[in-house]
Amino acid sequence: MRFVLPLLATAIAAHAAAVNAAPTPITLDQAMANPDWIGNPVESAWWGWDSRQVYFKQKRNASAPRDTYQIAGSAAKLVEEKQLANLDSADPVYNRERTRAVLLRNGDLFERDLKTGALTQIVRGTTAASDAQYAADGNHVQFRVGSDWFSWSRSERLVSPVALLRTAKDPDAAPDADFRRDMQLRLITTLAQLKKDKDDTRDQRNTDRAADATRAPLPIYLGDKVTIETSSLSPDGRYMLVVTAAKDGDKRRIGKLPKYVTESGYEETDEERKRVSEAGPLAHQLKLIEVATRKVTELSLDDLPGIKEDPLAAMRVAQKLDPIKGNRAVRFEGREDSIRWSANGARVAVLAQAIDNKDRWIAAVDLGAARLQPLHRLSDAAWVNNRGNDFGWQPDNSTLWYESEESGYAHLYLRTADGKARALTSGKWEESNVTWSGDGQTAYFMCNPKLPGTYEVCSTNTKDGALKELTSLGGVESFALSPDGRKLLVRYSTAYMPTQIGTVSSSGGAVTQLTDTRTADYKAREWIEPQIVPVPSTHGADPVWAKLYRPATLEAGKKYPVVMFVHGAGYLQNVTKRYPVYFREQMFHNLLVQKGYIVIDMDYRASLGYGRNWRTAIYRQMGHPELEDYVDGLNWMVANQQGDVKNVGIYGGSYGGFMTFMALLRAPDQFKSGAALRPVTDWTTYNHEYTANILNTPELDPEAYKVSSPIEYADKLKGNLLIAHGMIDDNVFFQDSVRMAQRFIELKKANWELAPYPLERHGFVHPESWYDEYRRIYELFERTLK
């Protein structure tokens, strides 16, 4: 392992020279080998408390554990075990003056003095602490353990409970009305006196406890018919917001995932995730609690605009389903995502999402009136993006910042106390991962204004919204602002360089490279630099950006067999200047070019980074716009890259496997061969959170599932097909491929095979499996496309 600190310009120049050199041949065995031979990337990185040192984690060679390294000068050093107790952690929470920071490490809580570096442990426990924040007075730290909230006093060095939530009936609550009980107490005076003595004793105990500051507060009982999803304490300690759901309310069936190759030698089973269904997930309720009095009030959703309107009402009528009565169901997804208090505790905003995901609301809570006050509504006839929903309060405790896709692209907005909103960013590009300066005047974020696949760190200010690109790396993946606000720690990569780190001034400038973890063997190789090209759309869409792998010079008059790669996840961006998630596939594409193929990898419609219309083009028709894009890509390869229209192969995993099926089954005369890896074959078997956004639910919108599921087109198979699937895949179940295999058997289809992998889940981890899978793909293409 080697760490160097060359100037970034030198590294870029060396990389450019490598592009012009002849590519180094790669074998399939090496491409699919354990990636340790490449040099393990920087997985995460964070600042030290003094802004003069950084830490990062990296996988250990030939082993699974991750090691922590420190850079405090010109060299990276392994953090020794004896140093772990004083280690900083990522994502500290700063006080208002940024003189102190709360750290969460291994579930324990610490406070760092940013002037002296002194570290004080707040809590050490077997149950992890979470959701740490500074109290409004700056002298206390509030945090949660399980469902209980605590406060740590710096002066007293004392941890005290603030609010203890219980999902049980209040034992002191008056019993339900009962005529026999009333009669007994009226007729039997001894019973009445015993009850009075018990009640008086309880009241006195509670009074004494409330008056004694050394005692823990009484529990807050929410009843025994709910579960606590999340909770949030106001910084002034006066109020809590609690998100609940009905206990045992999710009746969806959980299947069993069989495992055949086990340590015990017997077959075993795990529980599967739940499938997409009109029955789930459960609706949430939002409760406001006055901490001092323990008063619990369920907040009504009635004031959310459009909450009573069902955008899918016509479908319910068509399917003879019962109409929605009252409000649509909503969810508040996690404290960090859904509840944000101002620093003084006077204001709070919540983010609610309709379960049908056609609406997203940001609302303030009138704490005195216990009522929601709508601040912003985002609606989408398809579905509201699950990304780009961050929000919070500015240091003035009255200005709200938030992200919204309302312009068609994800951008940053401010809303002042008078209700006026303005955009801080705009244009046909997207911002993400917002970090604010301590004074709230500058926002730092990821941006791609030059090209959709070129990512930099940008900033803007609240005064005039001027946009500034702070880096010129092209492949920034994430960043962190230093505690003193003067520098950025940047994680970045290139097409053939796994993620590294560097630092740059927070006002922009040259980046100082801190690491290069690549091995000498890997660095010595010359790779085919993918060309990022715009493929024209014949369907009115923007250009479809793609990566092209081809020889430096095409042989005159030769027709090259075409291989088309389809990235997974659907909403993912693979055509970027970053080191790809599919780095093995990228090496495989080098091998294919060596063997006489040309390869194209496309960011089809629905891919991330291209705005709302691109994202939602597949609503109710998964696999249709994407296939149009791949046909456009094929025609472009034939017209511009000497592609052989008669010899076209396609492959990909997960969503890419699904698209391989759609290509071979819906365009069987254009795609001769395909490899569908861990593919979805029937969207009714996938999860609710992803699928219901795009296709609604099977009960409500059966036609959308029918036109979007490859199993419905199984009879159209003409070409050559490989299906490869991990048998313990807990994302896309192996059952998907087994059901498709049975369809092909019943239809008497030929030229297909199913390769099962008994010890692999959704993402393969064993080099032997990788090799076997890609050997089969390579042999399929060699056998059928040449």
Side-chain angles (χ1 to χ4, degrees):
M1 187 180 303
R2 187 165 65 92
F3 302 95
V4 295
L5 290 130
L7 292 176
L8 187 61
T10 303
I12 293 175
H15 180 65
V19 170
N20 296 323
T24 306
I26 181 93
T27 66
L28 186 61
D29 189 63
Q30 189 168 32
M32 300 300 146
N34 187 308
D36 282 359
W37 79 273
I38 296 171
N40 292 308
V42 173
E43 293 185 351
S44 60
W46 63 97
W47 286 100
W49 67 273
D50 59 0
S51 302
R52 293 198 294 261
Q53 55 192 330
V54 299
Y55 299 93
F56 67 90
K57 283 189 177 292
Q58 186 189 34
K59 178 188 171 297
R60 190 180 301 171
N61 279 333
S63 187
R66 270 57 180 168
D67 292 316
T68 301
Y69 291 86
Q70 178 189 44
I71 300 177
S74 60
K77 297 181 180 179
L78 181 68
V79 174
E80 299 177 1
E81 291 182 0
K82 63 182 180 181
Q83 298 174 296
L84 296 177
N86 195 49
L87 201 66
D88 291 298
S89 63
D91 302 318
V93 177
Y94 298 104
N95 67 347
R96 188 164 44 247
E97 298 77 19
R98 292 183 80 89
T99 57
R100 298 178 181 275
V102 176
L103 313 175
L104 189 64
R105 193 177 68 212
N106 303 320
D108 295 326
L109 208 58
F110 304 80
E111 186 184 52
R112 176 81 76 181
D113 187 321
L114 298 182
K115 293 181 178 179
T116 67
L119 186 68
T120 302
Q121 186 160 8
I122 294 174
V123 65
R124 177 187 302 163
T126 56
T127 303
S130 62
D131 296 340
Q133 62 187 24
Y134 276 96
D137 63 10
N139 299 317
H140 294 77
V141 174
Q142 300 165 335
F143 59 95
R144 180 171 60 84
V145 177
S147 297
D148 297 334
W149 280 87
F150 297 86
S151 177
W152 173 74
S153 167
R154 185 181 305 109
S155 60
E156 298 176 343
R157 293 294 193 268
L158 181 67
V159 172
S160 305
V162 177
L164 309 175
L165 298 177
R166 299 290 181 267
T167 53
K169 291 182 178 179
D170 186 344
D172 293 337
D176 296 336
D178 185 285
F179 81 93
R180 287 188 177 84
R181 180 184 296 107
D182 294 341
M183 181 178 65
Q184 287 290 87
L185 294 175
R186 177 172 58 83
L187 297 177
I188 311 299
T189 56
T190 303
L191 285 178
Q193 184 60 46
L194 289 173
K195 180 182 182 304
K196 182 178 182 303
D197 291 345
K198 183 177 69 173
D199 291 346
D200 290 346
T201 301
R202 179 201 64 211
D203 293 344
Q204 184 61 49
R205 182 180 69 246
N206 291 346
T207 299
D208 292 346
R209 189 170 185 174
D212 186 350
T214 67
R215 300 284 300 277
L218 289 166
I220 300 170
Y221 293 96
L222 301 177
D224 59 357
K225 291 181 171 53
V226 301
T227 59
I228 298 172
E229 300 294 302
T230 191
S231 63
S232 186
L233 176 67
S234 66
D236 61 12
R238 296 178 59 196
Y239 295 95
M240 287 189 69
L241 284 173
V242 182
V243 177
T244 63
K247 185 178 181 180
D248 301 324
D250 193 342
K251 304 299 184 183
R252 288 177 294 170
R253 178 175 174 176
I254 300 176
K256 298 295 182 181
L257 181 68
K259 298 186 292 184
Y260 294 99
V261 180
T262 63
E263 187 175 326
S264 69
Y266 291 87
E267 63 276 13
E268 299 171 4
T269 60
D270 289 336
E271 286 193 343
E272 297 175 341
R273 57 152 171 77
K274 296 172 182 177
R275 291 163 169 78
V276 59
S277 170
E278 187 73 6
L282 290 180
H284 285 163
Q285 296 79 43
L286 184 64
K287 294 177 170 57
L288 176 66
I289 298 176
E290 296 178 23
V291 174
T293 63
R294 299 185 294 139
K295 179 183 177 181
V296 180
T297 303
E298 183 164 327
L299 296 177
S300 170
L301 304 177
D302 289 350
D303 291 327
L304 296 180
I307 188 67
K308 296 182 183 300
E309 301 165 7
D310 180 11
L312 300 174
M315 288 186 184
R316 294 187 199 283
V317 172
Q319 298 303 321
K320 300 180 180 179
L321 297 176
D322 293 336
I324 293 176
K325 297 178 181 179
N327 295 332
R328 278 185 286 161
V330 304
R331 287 177 67 84
F332 303 86
E333 299 289 356
R335 173 184 178 262
E336 287 303 316
D337 295 327
S338 65
I339 304 173
R340 300 289 170 86
W341 293 91
S342 61
N344 63 2
R347 293 175 180 264
V348 63
V350 298
L351 187 145
Q353 293 173 279
I355 284 183
D356 60 36
N357 215 6
K358 309 296 184 188
D359 278 287
R360 183 215 73 183
W361 300 271
I362 299 175
V365 179
D366 183 330
L367 298 171
R371 186 170 181 173
L372 293 180
Q373 299 174 322
L375 303 178
H376 181 259
R377 178 188 181 187
L378 182 63
S379 297
D380 199 304
W383 75 95
V384 174
N385 200 345
N386 287 325
R387 294 167 54 98
N389 288 326
D390 205 359
F391 67 106
W393 298 96
Q394 290 287 78
D396 65 5
N397 295 308
S398 61
T399 300
L400 183 79
W401 67 268
Y402 61 92
E403 293 177 301
S404 175
E405 205 183 38
E406 61 197 71
S407 71
Y409 294 84
H411 283 297
L412 182 62
Y413 296 80
L414 285 181
R415 185 187 190 278
T416 50
D418 59 6
K420 295 179 179 178
R422 63 185 175 98
L424 286 183
T425 62
S426 62
K428 289 186 65 174
W429 56 275
E430 302 203 313
E431 64 75 31
S432 58
N433 304 103
V434 180
T435 296
W436 286 91
S437 60
D439 61 8
Q441 299 302 303
T442 304
Y444 302 91
F445 46 86
M446 301 285 294
C447 60
N448 61 345
K450 290 179 180 176
L451 288 172
T454 300
Y455 283 88
E456 306 292 354
V457 183
C458 284
S459 68
T460 190
N461 64 78
T462 58
K463 183 178 180 181
D464 58 20
L467 181 70
K468 184 177 182 180
E469 288 192 34
L470 305 178
T471 60
S472 55
L473 296 167
V476 174
E477 298 189 8
S478 65
F479 69 92
L481 184 65
S482 63
D484 63 11
R486 296 178 180 178
K487 290 185 178 181
L488 298 169
L489 177 61
V490 182
R491 294 177 66 249
Y492 66 97
S493 61
T494 65
Y496 291 100
M497 183 176 71
T499 308
Q500 308 299 328
I501 54 174
T503 57
V504 63
S505 167
S506 58
S507 60
V511 173
T512 300
Q513 186 176 359
L514 297 181
T515 64
D516 186 346
T517 61
R518 293 173 293 174
T519 64
D521 181 27
Y522 180 77
K523 288 177 68 174
R525 303 187 69 88
E526 311 296 348
W527 301 98
I528 298 170
E529 188 72 13
Q531 300 177 36
I532 297 182
V533 296
V535 175
S537 170
T538 62
H539 300 277
D542 288 335
V544 187
W545 289 92
K547 285 182 180 177
L548 172 65
Y549 298 83
R550 47 156 280 181
T553 302
L554 296 174
E555 184 179 331
K558 179 179 178 179
K559 294 294 184 181
Y560 290 81
V562 177
V563 171
M564 309 190 81
F565 174 69
V566 193
H567 71 67
Y571 197 53
L572 177 145
Q573 189 175 16
N574 200 46
V575 182
T576 73
K577 293 189 176 182
R578 297 163 170 162
Y579 189 70
V581 174
Y582 301 98
F583 64 92
R584 291 184 183 86
E585 288 80 353
Q586 181 169 253
M587 290 187 285
F588 182 57
H589 298 161
N590 275 252
L591 184 150
L592 290 175
V593 173
Q594 290 170 204
K595 301 298 183 180
Y597 299 84
I598 53 176
V599 182
I600 191 168
D601 165 7
M602 306 182 74
D603 270 348
Y604 49 85
R605 272 175 286 176
S607 297
L608 181 149
Y610 300 88
R612 182 265 171 198
N613 290 345
W614 200 263
R615 174 177 62 81
T616 62
I618 62 170
Y619 180 57
R620 303 189 66 228
Q621 53 173 358
M622 293 172 79
H624 293 252
E626 309 96 297
L627 182 55
E628 292 174 349
D629 294 341
Y630 268 84
V631 172
D632 281 342
L634 168 58
N635 292 334
W636 183 85
M637 292 286 274
V638 171
N640 297 279
Q641 302 297 327
Q642 299 177 210
D644 185 352
V645 72
K646 295 180 180 179
N647 288 294
V648 181
I650 186 169
Y651 86 101
S654 193
Y655 203 98
F658 154 71
M659 279 306 304
T660 297
F661 271 127
M662 294 299 268
L664 263 67
L665 302 179
R666 293 192 58 250
D669 295 325
Q670 292 169 293
F671 295 91
K672 190 174 182 180
S673 300
L677 320 176
R678 54 195 183 277
V680 175
T681 66
D682 181 355
W683 285 107
T684 67
T685 67
Y686 201 56
N687 70 36
H688 187 100
E689 289 72 17
Y690 178 87
T691 317
N693 286 339
I694 307 171
L695 301 180
N696 302 308
T697 63
E699 301 92 334
L700 187 62
D701 201 352
E703 185 62 23
Y705 283 81
K706 183 176 181 180
V707 302
S708 301
S709 296
I711 200 166
E712 300 284 353
Y713 305 95
D715 61 314
K716 304 296 191 297
L717 180 65
K718 290 183 181 180
N720 309 278
L721 174 65
L722 164 68
I723 307 170
H725 210 141
M727 294 178 68
I728 54 174
D729 190 336
D730 51 4
N731 183 0
V732 178
F733 301 142
F734 183 57
Q735 181 189 35
D736 265 59
S737 290
V738 173
R739 290 180 65 226
M740 182 64 94
Q742 182 61 28
R743 283 290 290 147
F744 288 150
I745 290 168
E746 293 175 356
L747 292 166
K748 299 179 181 179
K749 292 294 179 180
N751 302 320
W752 67 274
E753 62 176 314
L754 171 61
Y757 294 87
L759 288 176
E760 298 294 354
R761 294 192 182 273
H762 195 59
F764 282 20
V765 295
H766 303 293
E768 300 82 3
S769 299
W770 277 106
Y771 176 83
D772 184 83
E773 182 178 50
Y774 276 78
R775 174 187 60 79
R776 293 172 185 271
I777 298 170
Y778 175 67
E779 291 175 352
L780 171 70
F781 291 155
E782 285 285 282
R783 185 173 67 250
T784 62
L785 302 183
K786 287 184 174 179

